[in-house]
Amino acid sequence: MSIRNIPDADMKALRRLASENKRSIAAEVREAIAKHVHTKGFGTYLHERYGGLLPDDFPLEREA
């Protein structure tokens, strides 16, 4: 895969992120794609963030 015409500011930020994470630029791009593609739903976010505040037997139902 080739990606062309990446704005200079974006490329600079990508290089910085890759360096901070001790990854190559290609590995940083793969990580960004994986995070974007595999995003969690809002319900999962709420459960992960606040689920520990509810008792284990609290009834939760998912809407269709």
Side-chain angles (χ1 to χ4, degrees):
M1 171 186 286
S2 295
I3 303 172
R4 294 183 178 91
N5 302 319
I6 298 173
D8 291 339
D10 293 345
M11 197 63 204
K12 184 177 178 181
L14 184 57
R15 281 191 188 101
R16 180 184 51 77
L17 280 173
S19 177
E20 287 173 2
N21 293 318
K22 296 178 176 41
R23 290 194 270 251
S24 66
I25 292 173
E28 195 65 37
V29 169
R30 286 191 297 270
E31 180 69 19
I33 291 169
K35 283 182 179 179
H36 180 76
V37 170
H38 300 289
T39 57
K40 298 176 184 175
F42 186 65
T44 301
Y45 165 78
L46 288 176
H47 177 71
E48 288 176 351
R49 177 135 179 141
Y50 302 109
L53 300 174
L54 298 173
D56 289 335
D57 61 348
F58 188 82
L60 293 175
E61 295 181 23
R62 179 179 222 135
E63 290 184 11

